Amino acid sequence: MGRILIWTEAEIEGLENAWGLSRILTEVDEYGTVTRELGYNKDGEVVHRHPGEPTRAQRGVFDLAKIASVKATDMEPAEFDRLWYAKVC
């Protein structure tokens, strides 16, 4: 299991305008590849899940991007899994 990173407009300029997301949680493997994404709107609702549904695009926000190992884990992997498997309304 990889690192869980939380991104907001402070780290990704245009996240709200381009994707309609106020924050996005990413699971990053040991090679720096984002394997799963959970995106939340300003009301705290899951509106993007990649891979899966619902999604904002056919690909992920971080599609093919490599994440440097500079940033430490922002969330425990077990908590990310709980959110990933939670029922989406």
Side-chain angles (χ1 to χ4, degrees):
M1 198 168 290
R3 295 175 293 142
I4 308 303
L5 306 177
I6 301 172
W7 309 85
T8 65
E9 187 78 25
E11 292 87 21
I12 304 173
E13 187 176 337
L15 188 63
E16 178 75 37
N17 288 337
W19 295 91
L21 303 173
S22 63
R23 70 183 172 124
I24 187 166
L25 285 58
T26 57
E27 177 183 61
V28 181
D29 70 14
E30 65 271 13
Y31 304 108
T33 303
V34 173
T35 55
R36 295 188 289 175
E37 303 175 351
L38 276 176
Y40 293 83
N41 66 13
K42 63 183 176 186
D43 296 324
E45 302 165 325
V46 174
V47 294
H48 172 74
R49 179 186 307 246
H50 184 75
E53 295 291 332
T55 188
R56 293 288 183 171
Q58 296 215 339
R59 297 187 175 162
V61 174
F62 288 84
D63 190 48
L64 302 178
K66 292 289 184 181
I67 307 301
S69 61
V70 175
K71 197 170 181 185
T73 296
D74 292 331
M75 174 185 284
E76 291 298 318
E79 177 62 10
F80 181 84
D81 278 343
R82 185 189 70 74
L83 295 169
W84 182 264
Y85 293 110
K87 182 178 179 183
V88 177
C89 297

